[in-house]
Amino acid sequence: MNISIVIPLLNEEESLNELYRWIAEVMQSNGFLYELIFIDDGSTDGSWKIIEKLSHENSEVKGIRFQKNYGKSQALHAGFAMAKGDVTITMDADLQDNPEEIPELYKMITEEGFDLVSGWKKKRYDSVLSKNLPSKLFNYAARKTSGVKLHDFNCGLKAYKKDVVKTIEVTGEMHRYIPVLAKNAGFSRISEKPVLHQARKYGTTKFGAERFIRGFLDLITIWFLSRFGKRPMHLFGAWGAFMLFVGFSFALFLGIDKLFINPSARLITDRPEFFIALIAMVLGSQLFLAGFLGELILRSKKDSRNYIIKETVNQ
């Protein structure tokens, strides 16, 4: 199979039929053997009924229905697990991503040898203040922090080599940082392609301004995981050792000063250096403990699947 198209969605009943026809036309005109995987992330409208109807009429359409809304990362995780194509394409269901970009994205993966190609919406049809400007600031911070030189981390239209989607684990709210996860997993051939962006035709956006706050918090998380995720003791242990050194140094100074230099001086507990030494040693011990706990957690098996699939079609 050439292509798996993975589309997470939430309450997009108005756009699904049109989106399917558009994708099918592009796939057939290019002679691709493909599958189209819709992941219904807890929709409360008629989205699942439409997916069922499309799957009954077209064998290439598959569906996953979540028990409730778990988020885009979990939807992508489930879609990646089901995907069988040599190249996986992700896109949004709101008709803002253009399926006609798929052949070129497929070519960049199969012929030019990239592991991941991310879409870049150079011209956006979104609100400048609520989406465009915050998105530019967010992408700038993401580039500087992660070292991945992409202009648009948030673009839903991306292409992946099969090895990438079967290796990385997209959990929590980390769908924004899939290129960073891929880089950390050793897939270094990452590129981007300017893509067409359409104005939303139906419904309203499912993402508010709070996603940028969560995005920056996730950015801190991904920075930590990329540098110290496999060896948390390298961070916490280093700072713990430094704080213990500071604490013991002040304690040694106070002891020598009281015993040999100024025996008649004020009590050690009345001096500020005593409290600095005490706090530094306590913090150092806590940081060491955090490092040990981090190493123990890493060595325990975790189950990254934190969603419930209610039903599937054409699996």
Side-chain angles (χ1 to χ4, degrees):
M1 183 176 294
N2 302 125
I3 299 176
S4 295
I5 303 173
V6 175
I7 303 180
L9 62 103
L10 175 64
N11 296 333
E12 297 286 358
E13 62 178 350
E14 296 173 307
S15 63
L16 290 179
N17 283 308
E18 184 176 343
L19 177 62
Y20 167 73
R21 290 192 297 269
W22 196 359
I23 291 174
E25 181 181 343
V26 172
M27 295 295 101
Q28 292 166 10
S29 63
N30 286 273
F32 290 130
L33 182 63
Y34 75 103
E35 62 180 355
L36 179 55
I37 305 172
F38 289 109
I39 303 95
D40 183 352
D41 187 21
S43 294
T44 55
D45 62 0
S47 295
W48 182 248
K49 291 183 179 179
I50 295 174
I51 294 171
E52 284 185 312
K53 184 175 182 294
L54 288 171
S55 67
H56 292 152
E57 297 172 352
N58 309 277
S59 60
E60 68 273 8
V61 177
K62 303 177 181 180
I64 299 173
R65 186 185 187 189
F66 281 178
Q67 180 72 23
K68 65 172 187 175
N69 176 242
Y70 290 101
K72 190 173 183 178
S73 293
Q74 282 66 31
L76 289 174
H77 187 278
F80 288 167
M82 181 183 281
K84 299 176 182 177
D86 297 328
V87 175
T88 296
I89 304 288
T90 60
M91 60 190 304
D92 294 333
D94 54 11
L95 297 175
Q96 290 192 278
D97 293 331
N98 192 329
E100 293 175 17
E101 302 283 357
I102 292 176
E104 185 61 29
L105 291 170
Y106 176 79
K107 180 180 177 181
M108 293 179 73
I109 297 292
T110 57
E111 297 184 15
E112 299 181 34
F114 290 109
D115 298 316
L116 186 156
V117 180
S118 179
W120 172 19
K121 296 174 286 191
K122 293 184 75 170
K123 184 176 181 180
R124 297 178 59 120
Y125 293 92
D126 292 320
S127 169
V128 174
L129 291 179
S130 65
K131 296 192 77 171
N132 285 10
L133 184 58
S135 181
K136 288 182 183 296
L137 294 173
F138 167 79
N139 285 310
Y140 174 79
R143 284 195 300 273
K144 293 299 182 182
T145 303
S146 68
V148 179
K149 306 302 181 183
L150 296 178
H151 289 87
D152 192 355
F153 283 81
N154 273 324
C155 182
L157 185 57
K158 291 182 173 67
Y160 310 83
K161 190 165 65 174
K162 184 177 183 178
D163 292 345
V164 176
V165 299
K166 297 303 182 183
T167 300
I168 61 175
E169 293 189 359
V170 190
T171 58
E173 291 285 330
M174 293 301 175
H175 59 272
R176 303 175 184 88
Y177 304 108
I178 290 180
V180 183
L181 297 175
K183 178 189 174 186
N184 292 343
F187 298 102
S188 59
R189 288 187 57 78
I190 298 173
S191 185
E192 64 183 354
K193 178 187 180 298
V195 296
L196 295 175
H197 181 241
Q198 280 80 228
R200 175 177 273 275
K201 191 173 181 178
Y202 304 108
T204 58
T205 180
K206 309 302 187 298
F207 301 100
E210 70 277 2
R211 71 170 179 154
F212 293 106
I213 299 174
R214 295 197 301 266
F216 281 112
L217 295 176
D218 291 336
L219 185 59
I220 297 172
T221 301
I222 203 72
W223 171 82
F224 172 80
L225 292 176
S226 64
R227 296 196 61 181
F228 305 106
K230 298 298 182 182
R231 287 291 181 269
M233 196 63 179
H234 288 186
L235 173 66
F236 294 108
W239 279 104
F242 173 74
M243 296 303 294
L244 286 172
F245 173 77
V246 171
F248 281 117
S249 296
F250 273 106
L252 182 64
F253 165 75
L254 289 171
I256 293 175
D257 183 67
K258 185 64 176 177
L259 291 173
F260 303 109
I261 300 175
N262 294 307
S264 59
R266 58 181 172 170
L267 294 174
I268 290 179
T269 53
D270 291 334
R271 301 177 63 174
E273 293 91 341
F274 169 78
F275 296 100
I276 294 175
L278 184 63
I279 292 172
M281 285 189 285
V282 170
L283 286 176
S285 300
Q286 290 178 333
L287 287 168
F288 256 109
L289 181 59
F292 282 127
L293 289 175
E295 294 285 344
L296 290 173
I297 292 171
L298 275 177
R299 283 157 176 75
S300 64
K301 185 178 180 180
K302 68 173 183 177
D303 183 5
S304 61
R305 176 173 162 170
N306 51 358
Y307 53 85
I308 301 172
I309 294 176
K310 186 174 182 179
E311 57 184 311
T312 63
V313 290
N314 280 357
Q315 185 172 1

